[in-house]
Amino acid sequence: GVDATTAPLVANAGADVLVAGSAVFRGGSVERPEVYGQNIRAIREAAQGAPA
């Protein structure tokens, strides 16, 4: 599963496309849709912050 913890690992291993499933939806709901965006941003920032 790709999440903010594993994203840097797979990016460092050479992946240039990451696919996240449940990590995106964790904690979100109809009442709290903003959580989805926060999760996506966290994963993206973690992957982009990975040393080259």
Side-chain angles (χ1 to χ4, degrees), residues 39-50:
N39 292 341
I40 292 168
R41 277 188 295 282
I43 295 166
R44 182 178 292 135
E45 290 170 3
Q48 291 174 340

Side-chain angles (χ1 to χ4, degrees), residues 5 11-12 14-16 19 24 26 43:
T5 303
N12 283 335
D16 53 4
V19 177
V24 171
R26 190 169 299 128
I43 295 166

Side-chain angles (χ1 to χ4, degrees), residues 5-21:
T5 303
T6 59
L9 301 174
V10 296
N12 283 335
D16 53 4
V17 176
L18 308 182
V19 177

